[in-house]
Amino acid sequence: MSEASSVAELATAVRNGTRSASEVLEAHLAEIDESEPSIHAFNLVTGDEARRQAAAVDAVVASGGDPGLLAGVPVALKDNLCTRGIPTTCSSRILEGWLPPYDATVVTRLREAGAVMVGKTNMDEFAMGSSTETSATGPTRNPCDLSRVPGGSSGGSAAAVAAGFAPLALGSDTGGSIRQPAALCGVVGMKPTYGTVSRYGLVAFASSLDQIGPFAGSVADAALCFDVIGGHDEADSTSLNRPSPRLLSVIDDGVEGMTIGVLTEFLDGADPVIAERTRMAAEALASAGARVEEVSVPEVALALSAYYLIAPAEASSNLARYDGVRFGLRVDAEDTVAMNTATRSAGFGAEVKRRIMLGTYALSAGYMDAYYGKALRVRTLIIEGFSRAYQRCDVLLGPTTPTTAFPLGAKVGDPMTMYLSDVCTIPTNLAGHPAISVPFGTDDGGLPVGVQLLAPALAESTLVRVAAVVEAAAPGWTGTRGVGS
Amino acid sequence: MDRYQGGGVVTEGWELVIGLEVHCELRTETKLFCGCRNLFGDEPNSNVCPVCLGLPGSLPVLNQRAVELAMAIGTALHCDIRPSTFHRKNYFYPDQAKDYQISQYDEPINVDGWLDLPDGFRVRVERAHLEEDTGKTTHAGASGRIHGADYSLVDYNRSGVPLVEIVSAPDMRTAVQARAYATELRAILIASGASDGKMEEGSMRVDANVSVRRSTDATFGTRCEIKNLNSVRSLGRAIDYEAQRQVALLESGGVVEQQTRHWDEGTGRTETLRSKEEAYDYRYFREPDLVPVVPDAEWKAAVADTLGLMPAQRRARLVELLSGGNGAGGNDGDGDGDGELRVDQIATVVDLGLDDLVVGAVAAGVPATLALARTANEAATDAEAARRLDGSSYVALLTLEASGSLSATQAKVVLGDLLLAGGGDPAMLAKEKGFEAMSADSLVETVGQAVAAEPDAWARYCDGEDKLAQVFVGKVMKATRGQANGKAVVAELQRLRG
Ligand SMILES: [Zn+2]
C-alpha cells in the first residue's frame, strides 16, 4: 500500500508534500473496509474524524507549515485511551454511551505531531485478559491466522498494525498487554519505563503497573512513536520529570561492547521452537559484537502470583467508580445500593468481576498483609533480582510468550492457563522497567514468534539499539512489516 | 449529681474520656487534586472537572498550597511535620466521586503535637492529615436519608475540596474541656489562615469519641463516635447526653457497644448510625497515582515564618499589656471581679481578631483597660467592621475619652459612627452630635447641686461609704443627659470630701 518503508519516511513524504495525508488515510481506510469484518480489530472506526484530521494536516502543509513528526500517519488507539467526544468503552458494557470530555495526554501529543486517529481498538474488557476474548464486543482475530487469538489485552491494536490498518497503534501494558499480542501478531510492541509516558486519560486497570506504549512494524517506528508520546506531563504525578526522549537518533548505534544476558527462567517454560528462536537471537547479538551469557533471576518465578494480587487489588479500587451514578451504564433499581449492584452486575463481564473479587479479598481486613502486603514484598525482591542481573548485563533477552498464538476459545474457560500467557512479561511491569517484543521468525505452522528484550529503568535507548540488531537478524526481515506495507 | 457540670465525673465514681476528630476545610484557591475553584455554594456542579468527578482516566495532582496550609496547622499545633504518603479509603457512596477517598493513613504529614487550653490544660494532638472532601448529597423524600428517598441529588462542587483532619488523643475528661478544645482549635485554624472555621456552614466539623469508665479502672471503656455536631454547644450537649447514656447502661448491668452515633439536635439524643459489625472495611492501600510529600527544612521554616501569632500568644500579649502598668489596675476598675472580666474580654477580642486594635491603642498611650473594654464590648458588636476600622481614628477616639473630653456614653456613640464609616475624625463627629465636653466650672457647679440635694448620702459618703458616689454620679448624669464624664464627677466628689 505504501511506498514509504517506515513511519518516518511516510511522515516525511507528507511533510514535504510528496504525498497527502488524505491520500494516505484513504488507502488505510480501504484496507480497513476490506479486512476489518473478518478481524474485528476496532470497536469504532473514526473515518470522518480521521478525514478531518488528515485534511487539517494537508492544509498545514499547503500553507507552508510543518504538521509534525507524525504528519499524516494513521494511528489506532486502544479503546481505553480517552478521546474527547468519541466513545471510549474499554470494551465494556459499563461504559456504554460515555463520551469523555477530554483527550488523554498521549492523544493530544499524537494530534500535535500531525498523526491521524483512525479508530478505537478492541481489547480485553478493562485490559483484563490475554486474548481479547473478554471484550464485550466479541473477540479480535489474529490477522496471521483468523482461527487464532491476537493475544491481549491490546489485541485490537496489535492486529490493526499487523493487518496494515495503521502503521502505528497505541496500547497499554499492565502485565504484558502490549508485548504479548505484539509477539502473537508478529509486530513490534514496546512497554516503556513506568513514568515515561503520561497515564493521564488512560482508563486505569492497575495504576502502579499500567504503561502506554507503541505497536509498530519496526523498532524504528516504535522508537519514533515513543519519542512523540513520551516526556513529562504535569497532569500525571507519577510522570518522571526528564527531558523528552530521542530514541530515533541512537537506534543504529549497535551493540558492540554490550553484555546481553539470556534469562534462563524464561527459556525454561517456553515451547522448544520459541526457546530455539531466542537462542538464535542471542547468537545474532554475539555476532554483532555483544558479549552474551546466561543469567538467572530466580525471583521472576514469583512474579505471576504477586501480580495476580497487586493488579486485582488496584483494579478493585479503580473500577469502583463504575457505579451507575455519573456516567456510562445505569440499570435502575429501587434504591441507590440496588442500582449500584444491578449496574455492575449487568455492566461487567465475568473476568472483570473475578478480578474485582480477588482484589477486594486481597485488601480486606485480616487478609491484607498475607496477600497484598506479601505481594508488595515480592515486588521488591523482583526489583532486587533484576538489579543484580543488571550489574553485569546491559540488556536481558528471553522469549516474549511461552507459546505462539493459540486458537480462539482454547484457554478462555481456564483462567489459570490464560494467566500463564503473561509469565514472561509480568516481571517487567512489577519492576517498572522497559521491555520490547521483536518478531523473530515463525514456528513450524507459520505463526509469529516474538523475542523480548528487557532493560533497567530509563534504558530505552540501550533497549532499542539491541532491538534493532535483533530485528535485522530476524528470519524473513525485509525492512518492514504488516499486510499492507 | 444528676447533671454533669464539668467537674470530671458524670456520676459519682465514673470518669468521662473524650477524644475529638475535627475536619476543617482549607482556604485554598483551588481543590486538593485539580484546578477547580474551591468554592462550595456556587451553582451546583459548576466547579467540577474530570478529576473531581472521578471520570475514567483522570489523575490527581497535589495542590502545594494545601500542603502548606496543612503544614501551617501542624506548626501551630506543635506537630512533627513528616514525609507523608496518600492512601485510598475505599467505600461506595454516590457523593464519593471515585468511590474511594484519597486520604493519609499510616504516614500523615503532621504527628505528635499538642494544644493548650486557655486554662493551661494540655491536650495531645495525635495527627493532623490531609484528605479530600466528598460531594454533597441531598435526598428528596420523607426521610431525608438515602434509604427511602424518592431520588437524590449530588453537588460535586465540594468534591475534592482540601480538608485537614485533626485527631486529638483521648485526653479530655469533661464536656467543658471538649468545648474549650473545639473553640481554641477553631481560633488557631482561623489565626493560621488555614480555614474560616465556620462550624454552622460545615467548614469545620467535629466528631466526638466518648467513653466512660469507673474511676478505679486503668483501661478505657468502649467508645462511641458521635457525628453531626454542628456547633460547640451541640458538642457539649451531645457529650453530656452520651456520657449519661453510657453510665446508665453500665450501671444497669448492660454493655456499651462500639458504635457510630448520630446527634439529634431536636431531641437532644444520640442515636445508632451503625454498629461495629456494620463498620466499613475501607481496604486502605497506598494511592498509586500520587508520590510521597517530603517537606524539607527550608519549606518548613518558610511556613513557620509566615505563620502569625497564635491565639494563646495573642492573649498573652494582652495580659502583658494590662499588667504592664499602662492603665493597669486603672481608675475605671470596679474591684475584684476585674480579673475574670478581663479574661473574658481578652478571649473575645482575640477570638474576633480585634487584638491588634487594642495593641495599637495602648502603644499610642490609651490606658489598656479602656482600650480592652471598648474593643471587647463595643467594637466587638460589629467585629467585621472593626477589623476594617482605621486604627488611627480608633486611637483618636479613645484618647478623647481617656482625657475626659468625651464621656463613655458619647464615645460609644461616636464609635458606632466610626464603625459604619470605616474611620473618620472622632472630634468632628462629636462636635456634629453636639457632644461638647462640659467645662470644668459647670461640672463643679452641677456636682455641688447634687451634693446639696442629698445631704444624708453626702454625710455617709464623707464617713467613708465610697459606693454612695454612684448616687451623685447618677444625679449629675441625669442633670447633664449623660454628657458628664463619670470619672471627672468622682474626682470632684473626692476633692469636695477633702
Ligand atoms: Zn476539579
Side-chain angles (χ1 to χ4, degrees), chain A residues 1 7-8 10-11 21 24-26 28-29 32 41-42 44-47 49-51 53-54 57 68-79 81 83 86 106-121 156-161 164-171 212-217 221-222 224-226 228-229:
Chain A
M1 173 174 69
V7 166
L10 176 58
V24 172
L25 172 66
E26 291 306 330
H28 284 88
L29 288 177
I32 292 171
F42 290 98
L44 181 69
V45 176
T46 51
E49 172 66 18
R51 288 187 175 100
Q53 289 180 13
V57 168
L69 284 174
L70 295 180
V73 176
V75 179
L77 300 173
K78 190 175 183 179
D79 205 13
L81 294 168
T83 41
I86 295 169
V106 288
V107 172
T108 304
R109 291 190 176 172
L110 286 173
R111 201 189 302 278
E112 285 170 359
V116 172
M117 264 62 77
V118 293
K120 305 297 290 284
T121 61
S157 288
V161 172
F165 297 162
L168 287 179
L170 293 190
I212 297 169
F215 287 93
D221 291 354
L224 172 58
C225 186
F226 176 72
V228 168
I229 63 173

Coordinates of all heavy atoms in Angstrom, one line a residue, chain A residues 1 7-8 10-11 21 24-26 28-29 32 41-42 44-47 49-51 53-54 57 68-79 81 83 86 106-121 156-161 164-171 212-217 221-222 224-226 228-229:
Chain A
M1 N 0.8 -1.2 0.0 CA 0.0 0.0 0.0 C 0.9 1.3 0.0 O 0.5 2.2 -0.6 CB -0.9 0.0 1.2 CG -1.7 1.2 1.4 SD -2.8 1.0 2.8 CE -1.7 0.9 4.1
V7 N 7.5 4.7 9.1 CA 6.7 5.8 9.6 C 7.4 7.1 9.3 O 6.8 8.1 8.9 CB 6.3 5.6 11.0 CG1 5.7 6.9 11.6 CG2 5.3 4.4 11.2
A8 N 8.7 7.1 9.6 CA 9.4 8.4 9.5 C 9.4 8.8 8.0 O 9.2 10.0 7.7 CB 10.8 8.2 10.0
L10 N 7.2 7.9 5.7 CA 5.8 8.3 5.4 C 5.5 9.8 5.8 O 5.0 10.6 5.1 CB 4.8 7.4 6.1 CG 3.3 7.6 5.9 CD1 2.9 7.6 4.4 CD2 2.5 6.6 6.6
A11 N 5.9 10.1 7.1 CA 5.6 11.4 7.6 C 6.4 12.4 6.8 O 5.9 13.5 6.5 CB 6.0 11.5 9.1
A21 N -1.8 13.6 3.3 CA -2.3 12.9 4.5 C -3.6 12.2 4.1 O -3.9 11.1 4.5 CB -2.5 13.8 5.7
V24 N -3.0 9.1 2.1 CA -2.5 8.0 2.9 C -3.6 7.4 3.7 O -3.8 6.2 3.9 CB -1.4 8.6 3.9 CG1 -1.0 7.5 4.9 CG2 -0.2 9.0 3.1
L25 N -4.5 8.3 4.3 CA -5.6 7.8 5.1 C -6.5 7.0 4.3 O -7.0 5.9 4.8 CB -6.4 9.1 5.7 CG -7.7 8.7 6.4 CD1 -7.4 7.9 7.7 CD2 -8.5 9.9 6.8
E26 N -6.9 7.4 3.1 CA -7.9 6.7 2.3 C -7.4 5.3 2.0 O -8.2 4.3 2.0 CB -8.2 7.5 1.0 CG -9.0 8.7 1.2 CD -10.3 8.6 2.0 OE1 -10.9 7.5 2.0 OE2 -10.7 9.5 2.8
H28 N -5.5 3.5 3.9 CA -5.7 2.7 5.1 C -7.1 2.4 5.3 O -7.5 1.3 5.8 CB -5.0 3.4 6.3 CG -3.5 3.3 6.3 ND1 -2.7 4.2 5.6 CD2 -2.7 2.3 6.8 CE1 -1.4 3.8 5.7 NE2 -1.4 2.7 6.5
L29 N -8.0 3.4 5.1 CA -9.4 3.1 5.3 C -9.9 2.0 4.4 O -10.8 1.2 4.7 CB -10.2 4.4 5.1 CG -10.1 5.5 6.2 CD1 -10.9 6.7 5.9 CD2 -10.5 4.9 7.6
I32 N -9.0 -1.2 5.8 CA -9.9 -1.5 6.9 C -11.3 -2.0 6.4 O -11.8 -3.0 6.8 CB -10.2 -0.2 7.8 CG1 -8.8 0.1 8.5 CG2 -11.3 -0.5 8.8 CD1 -8.9 1.5 9.2
A41 N -10.6 -5.7 14.6 CA -9.6 -5.0 15.4 C -10.2 -3.8 16.1 O -9.6 -3.4 17.1 CB -8.5 -4.6 14.5
F42 N -11.2 -3.2 15.5 CA -11.7 -2.0 16.1 C -13.1 -2.1 16.8 O -14.0 -2.9 16.3 CB -12.0 -0.9 14.9 CG -10.7 -0.4 14.3 CD1 -10.2 -1.0 13.1 CD2 -10.0 0.6 14.9 CE1 -9.0 -0.5 12.6 CE2 -8.8 1.1 14.3 CZ -8.3 0.5 13.2
L44 N -14.5 0.9 17.1 CA -15.0 2.0 16.4 C -14.0 2.5 15.4 O -12.9 2.8 15.7 CB -15.4 3.2 17.3 CG -16.0 4.4 16.7 CD1 -17.4 4.2 16.2 CD2 -16.0 5.6 17.8
V45 N -14.4 2.6 14.1 CA -13.5 3.3 13.1 C -14.0 4.7 13.0 O -15.2 5.0 12.7 CB -13.6 2.5 11.7 CG1 -12.7 3.3 10.7 CG2 -13.1 1.1 11.9
T46 N -13.1 5.6 13.2 CA -13.5 7.0 13.2 C -13.1 7.7 11.9 O -12.3 8.6 11.8 CB -12.8 7.8 14.4 OG1 -11.4 7.5 14.4 CG2 -13.4 7.3 15.7
G47 N -13.7 7.2 10.8 CA -13.4 7.7 9.5 C -13.6 9.2 9.3 O -12.7 9.8 8.7
E49 N -13.8 11.6 11.5 CA -12.9 12.4 12.3 C -11.5 12.3 11.7 O -10.8 13.3 11.6 CB -12.9 11.8 13.7 CG -11.9 12.4 14.7 CD -12.1 13.9 15.0 OE1 -13.2 14.3 14.8 OE2 -11.1 14.5 15.5
A50 N -11.1 11.1 11.2 CA -9.8 10.9 10.6 C -9.7 11.8 9.4 O -8.6 12.4 9.1 CB -9.6 9.5 10.3
R51 N -10.7 11.9 8.6 CA -10.7 12.7 7.3 C -10.5 14.1 7.7 O -9.7 14.9 7.0 CB -11.9 12.4 6.5 CG -11.9 11.1 5.8 CD -13.1 10.9 4.9 NE -13.0 9.6 4.2 CZ -13.7 8.5 4.5 NH1 -14.6 8.6 5.5 NH2 -13.5 7.4 3.9
Q53 N -9.0 15.3 10.3 CA -7.6 15.5 10.8 C -6.6 15.5 9.6 O -5.7 16.3 9.6 CB -7.2 14.4 11.8 CG -8.0 14.6 13.2 CD -7.6 13.4 14.1 OE1 -6.6 12.7 13.9 NE2 -8.3 13.3 15.2
A54 N -6.9 14.6 8.7 CA -5.9 14.5 7.5 C -6.0 15.7 6.7 O -5.0 16.3 6.3 CB -6.3 13.2 6.7
V57 N -4.1 18.4 8.4 CA -2.6 18.2 8.2 C -2.2 18.7 6.8 O -1.3 19.5 6.6 CB -2.2 16.7 8.3 CG1 -0.8 16.5 7.8 CG2 -2.4 16.3 9.8
G68 N 4.4 18.2 11.8 CA 5.0 17.5 12.9 C 5.6 16.1 12.5 O 5.5 15.7 11.3
L69 N 6.2 15.5 13.5 CA 7.0 14.2 13.2 C 6.1 13.1 12.7 O 6.7 12.2 12.1 CB 7.7 13.8 14.5 CG 8.9 14.6 15.0 CD1 9.3 14.1 16.4 CD2 10.0 14.4 14.0
L70 N 4.9 13.1 13.0 CA 4.0 12.0 12.5 C 3.0 12.5 11.5 O 1.8 12.0 11.5 CB 3.3 11.3 13.7 CG 4.2 10.6 14.7 CD1 3.4 10.0 15.9 CD2 5.0 9.5 14.0
A71 N 3.3 13.5 10.7 CA 2.4 14.1 9.8 C 1.7 13.1 8.9 O 2.3 12.3 8.2 CB 3.1 15.1 8.9
G72 N 0.4 13.0 9.1 CA -0.4 12.2 8.2 C -0.3 10.7 8.5 O -0.8 9.9 7.7
V73 N 0.3 10.3 9.6 CA 0.5 8.9 9.9 C -0.8 8.4 10.6 O -1.1 8.9 11.7 CB 1.7 8.7 10.8 CG1 1.8 7.2 11.2 CG2 3.0 9.1 10.1
P74 N -1.5 7.4 10.0 CA -2.6 6.9 10.7 C -2.2 6.1 11.9 O -1.3 5.4 11.9 CB -3.2 5.9 9.6 CG -2.7 6.4 8.3 CD -1.3 6.9 8.7
V75 N -3.0 6.4 13.0 CA -2.7 5.7 14.3 C -4.0 5.1 14.8 O -5.0 5.8 14.8 CB -2.1 6.7 15.3 CG1 -1.8 6.0 16.6 CG2 -0.8 7.3 14.8
A76 N -3.9 3.9 15.3 CA -5.1 3.3 16.0 C -4.9 3.4 17.5 O -3.7 3.2 18.0 CB -5.2 1.8 15.6
L77 N -5.9 3.7 18.2 CA -5.8 3.9 19.7 C -6.6 2.8 20.4 O -7.8 2.5 20.1 CB -6.4 5.2 20.1 CG -5.8 6.5 19.5 CD1 -6.6 7.7 19.8 CD2 -4.4 6.6 20.0
K78 N -5.9 2.2 21.4 CA -6.6 1.2 22.3 C -7.8 1.9 22.9 O -7.7 3.1 23.3 CB -5.7 0.7 23.3 CG -6.2 -0.5 24.1 CD -5.2 -1.0 25.1 CE -5.7 -2.2 25.9 NZ -4.6 -2.8 26.8
D79 N -8.9 1.2 23.0 CA -10.2 1.8 23.5 C -10.2 2.1 25.0 O -11.3 2.3 25.5 CB -11.4 1.0 23.0 CG -12.6 1.8 22.9 OD1 -12.5 3.1 22.9 OD2 -13.7 1.2 22.8
L81 N -8.1 4.6 25.9 CA -7.5 5.9 25.9 C -8.6 6.9 25.6 O -9.3 6.8 24.6 CB -6.4 6.0 24.8 CG -5.2 5.1 25.1 CD1 -4.3 4.9 23.8 CD2 -4.4 5.6 26.3
T83 N -10.8 9.8 24.4 CA -10.8 10.7 23.2 C -12.0 11.6 23.4 O -13.1 11.1 23.5 CB -10.9 9.8 22.0 OG1 -11.8 8.8 22.2 CG2 -9.6 9.3 21.6
I86 N -15.5 11.2 21.7 CA -15.6 9.9 20.9 C -15.7 8.8 21.9 O -14.9 8.8 22.9 CB -14.3 9.8 20.1 CG1 -14.3 10.8 19.0 CG2 -14.2 8.4 19.5 CD1 -13.0 10.9 18.3
V106 N -1.5 11.4 25.7 CA -0.9 10.8 24.5 C -1.7 11.1 23.2 O -1.1 11.3 22.2 CB -0.7 9.3 24.6 CG1 0.3 8.9 25.7 CG2 -2.1 8.6 25.0
V107 N -3.0 11.2 23.4 CA -3.8 11.5 22.2 C -3.5 13.0 21.7 O -3.3 13.3 20.5 CB -5.3 11.4 22.5 CG1 -6.2 11.9 21.3 CG2 -5.6 9.9 22.8
T108 N -3.4 13.9 22.7 CA -3.1 15.3 22.4 C -1.7 15.3 21.7 O -1.5 16.0 20.7 CB -3.0 16.1 23.7 OG1 -4.3 16.0 24.3 CG2 -2.8 17.6 23.4
R109 N -0.7 14.6 22.2 CA 0.6 14.6 21.7 C 0.7 14.1 20.3 O 1.4 14.6 19.4 CB 1.6 13.9 22.6 CG 1.8 14.7 23.9 CD 2.9 14.2 24.8 NE 3.0 15.1 25.9 CZ 3.8 14.9 26.9 NH1 4.6 13.9 27.0 NH2 3.8 15.8 27.9
L110 N -0.1 13.0 20.0 CA -0.1 12.4 18.7 C -0.7 13.5 17.7 O -0.2 13.7 16.6 CB -1.0 11.2 18.7 CG -0.3 9.9 19.3 CD1 -1.3 8.8 19.3 CD2 0.9 9.5 18.5
R111 N -1.8 14.1 18.2 CA -2.5 15.0 17.3 C -1.6 16.2 17.0 O -1.5 16.7 15.9 CB -3.8 15.6 18.0 CG -4.8 16.2 17.2 CD -5.9 16.8 18.0 NE -6.6 16.0 18.9 CZ -7.6 15.2 18.6 NH1 -8.0 15.1 17.4 NH2 -8.2 14.5 19.6
E112 N -0.9 16.7 18.0 CA 0.0 17.8 17.8 C 1.2 17.5 16.9 O 1.8 18.3 16.3 CB 0.6 18.3 19.2 CG -0.5 19.1 20.0 CD -0.1 19.4 21.4 OE1 1.1 19.0 21.8 OE2 -0.9 20.0 22.1
A113 N 1.5 16.1 16.8 CA 2.6 15.7 15.9 C 2.1 15.4 14.5 O 2.8 15.0 13.7 CB 3.3 14.5 16.5
G114 N 0.8 15.7 14.3 CA 0.2 15.5 13.0 C -0.4 14.1 12.7 O -0.8 13.9 11.5
A115 N -0.4 13.2 13.7 CA -0.9 11.9 13.4 C -2.4 12.0 13.2 O -3.1 12.9 13.6 CB -0.6 11.0 14.6
V116 N -3.0 11.0 12.5 CA -4.4 10.9 12.2 C -5.0 9.7 12.8 O -4.6 8.6 12.6 CB -4.6 10.8 10.6 CG1 -6.0 10.6 10.3 CG2 -4.0 12.1 10.0
M117 N -6.0 9.9 13.7 CA -6.6 8.8 14.5 C -7.6 8.1 13.7 O -8.7 8.7 13.4 CB -7.2 9.3 15.8 CG -6.3 9.2 17.0 SD -4.7 10.2 16.9 CE -5.4 11.8 17.2
V118 N -7.4 6.8 13.4 CA -8.3 6.1 12.6 C -9.4 5.3 13.3 O -10.4 4.9 12.8 CB -7.6 5.1 11.6 CG1 -6.8 5.9 10.6 CG2 -6.8 4.1 12.3
G119 N -9.2 5.1 14.6 CA -10.2 4.3 15.3 C -9.8 3.9 16.7 O -8.6 4.1 17.1
K120 N -10.7 3.3 17.4 CA -10.5 2.8 18.8 C -10.5 1.3 18.7 O -11.5 0.7 18.2 CB -11.6 3.3 19.7 CG -11.9 4.8 19.7 CD -10.6 5.6 20.3 CE -10.4 5.4 21.7 NZ -11.3 6.2 22.6
T121 N -9.4 0.7 19.2 CA -9.2 -0.7 19.0 C -9.8 -1.6 20.1 O -9.8 -1.2 21.3 CB -7.8 -1.1 18.8 OG1 -7.0 -0.7 20.0 CG2 -7.2 -0.4 17.6
G156 N -6.5 -5.7 19.7 CA -7.0 -4.9 18.6 C -5.9 -4.1 18.0 O -5.8 -3.9 16.8
S157 N -5.1 -3.5 18.8 CA -4.0 -2.6 18.4 C -3.0 -3.4 17.6 O -2.5 -3.0 16.6 CB -3.4 -1.8 19.5 OG -4.3 -0.8 20.0
A158 N -2.6 -4.6 18.2 CA -1.6 -5.4 17.6 C -2.2 -5.9 16.2 O -1.4 -5.8 15.2 CB -1.3 -6.7 18.4
A159 N -3.4 -6.3 16.2 CA -4.0 -6.8 14.9 C -4.1 -5.7 13.9 O -3.9 -5.9 12.7 CB -5.4 -7.4 15.2
A160 N -4.4 -4.4 14.3 CA -4.5 -3.3 13.4 C -3.2 -3.0 12.7 O -3.2 -2.8 11.5 CB -5.0 -2.1 14.2
V161 N -2.1 -3.1 13.4 CA -0.8 -2.9 12.8 C -0.4 -4.1 11.9 O 0.0 -3.9 10.8 CB 0.3 -2.6 13.9 CG1 1.7 -2.6 13.2 CG2 0.0 -1.3 14.6
G164 N -2.2 -4.0 8.7 CA -2.0 -2.8 7.8 C -3.1 -1.8 7.9 O -3.2 -0.9 7.0
F165 N -3.9 -1.8 8.9 CA -4.9 -0.8 9.1 C -4.3 0.5 9.5 O -4.9 1.6 9.3 CB -5.9 -1.3 10.2 CG -6.7 -2.5 9.8 CD1 -7.4 -3.2 10.8 CD2 -6.8 -3.0 8.5 CE1 -8.1 -4.4 10.5 CE2 -7.5 -4.1 8.2 CZ -8.2 -4.8 9.2
A166 N -3.2 0.5 10.2 CA -2.5 1.7 10.6 C -1.0 1.3 10.8 O -0.8 0.2 11.4 CB -3.1 2.2 11.9
P167 N -0.1 2.1 10.5 CA 1.3 1.8 10.7 C 1.7 1.9 12.2 O 2.7 1.3 12.6 CB 2.1 2.8 9.8 CG 1.1 3.8 9.5 CD -0.2 3.3 9.7
L168 N 0.9 2.6 12.9 CA 1.2 2.7 14.4 C -0.1 2.5 15.2 O -1.2 2.8 14.7 CB 1.7 4.1 14.7 CG 3.1 4.5 14.3 CD1 3.4 6.0 14.8 CD2 4.2 3.6 14.9
A169 N 0.1 2.0 16.4 CA -1.1 1.9 17.3 C -0.5 2.1 18.7 O 0.6 1.8 19.0 CB -1.8 0.5 17.1
L170 N -1.4 2.6 19.6 CA -1.1 2.6 21.0 C -1.8 1.5 21.7 O -3.0 1.2 21.4 CB -1.4 4.0 21.6 CG -0.7 5.2 21.1 CD1 -1.0 6.4 22.0 CD2 0.8 4.9 21.1
G171 N -1.1 1.0 22.7 CA -1.7 0.0 23.6 C -1.3 0.4 25.0 O -0.7 1.4 25.3
I212 N 1.5 3.1 28.9 CA 1.1 3.2 27.5 C 2.4 3.0 26.7 O 3.5 3.4 27.0 CB 0.5 4.6 27.2 CG1 -0.8 4.8 28.0 CG2 0.3 4.8 25.7 CD1 -1.3 6.2 28.0
G213 N 2.2 2.3 25.5 CA 3.4 2.2 24.6 C 2.9 1.9 23.2 O 1.7 1.7 22.9
P214 N 3.9 1.9 22.3 CA 3.5 1.8 20.8 C 3.6 0.3 20.3 O 4.3 -0.5 20.8 CB 4.6 2.6 20.2 CG 5.8 2.5 21.1 CD 5.3 2.3 22.5
F215 N 2.7 0.1 19.3 CA 2.9 -1.0 18.4 C 3.3 -0.4 17.0 O 2.8 0.6 16.6 CB 1.5 -1.7 18.1 CG 1.0 -2.5 19.3 CD1 0.1 -1.9 20.2 CD2 1.3 -3.8 19.4 CE1 -0.4 -2.6 21.3 CE2 0.8 -4.6 20.5 CZ 0.0 -4.0 21.4
A216 N 4.2 -1.2 16.4 CA 4.7 -0.7 15.1 C 5.2 -1.8 14.2 O 5.4 -2.9 14.7 CB 5.8 0.4 15.3
G217 N 5.5 -1.5 13.0 CA 6.0 -2.5 12.1 C 7.5 -2.7 12.2 O 8.1 -3.6 11.7
D221 N 10.1 2.5 14.0 CA 8.8 3.2 14.1 C 8.3 3.3 15.5 O 7.7 4.3 15.9 CB 7.8 2.4 13.2 CG 8.1 2.5 11.7 OD1 9.0 3.2 11.4 OD2 7.4 1.8 11.0
A222 N 8.5 2.2 16.3 CA 8.1 2.2 17.7 C 8.9 3.3 18.4 O 8.3 4.0 19.3 CB 8.3 0.9 18.3
L224 N 10.2 6.1 17.2 CA 9.7 7.4 16.8 C 8.4 7.7 17.6 O 8.2 8.8 18.1 CB 9.5 7.4 15.3 CG 8.8 8.7 14.8 CD1 9.6 10.0 15.2 CD2 8.7 8.6 13.3
C225 N 7.5 6.7 17.7 CA 6.3 6.9 18.3 C 6.5 7.3 19.8 O 5.9 8.2 20.4 CB 5.4 5.7 18.2 SG 3.7 5.9 18.9
F226 N 7.4 6.5 20.4 CA 7.8 6.8 21.8 C 8.3 8.2 22.0 O 8.0 8.9 23.0 CB 8.8 5.7 22.3 CG 9.2 6.0 23.8 CD1 8.4 5.8 24.8 CD2 10.5 6.4 24.0 CE1 8.9 6.0 26.1 CE2 11.0 6.6 25.3 CZ 10.1 6.4 26.4
V228 N 7.5 10.7 20.4 CA 6.4 11.7 20.3 C 5.5 11.7 21.6 O 5.2 12.7 22.1 CB 5.5 11.4 19.1 CG1 4.2 12.2 19.1 CG2 6.3 11.8 17.8
I229 N 5.2 10.5 22.1 CA 4.2 10.4 23.2 C 4.9 10.5 24.6 O 4.2 10.8 25.6 CB 3.4 9.1 23.2 CG1 4.3 7.9 23.3 CG2 2.5 9.0 21.9 CD1 3.5 6.6 23.5

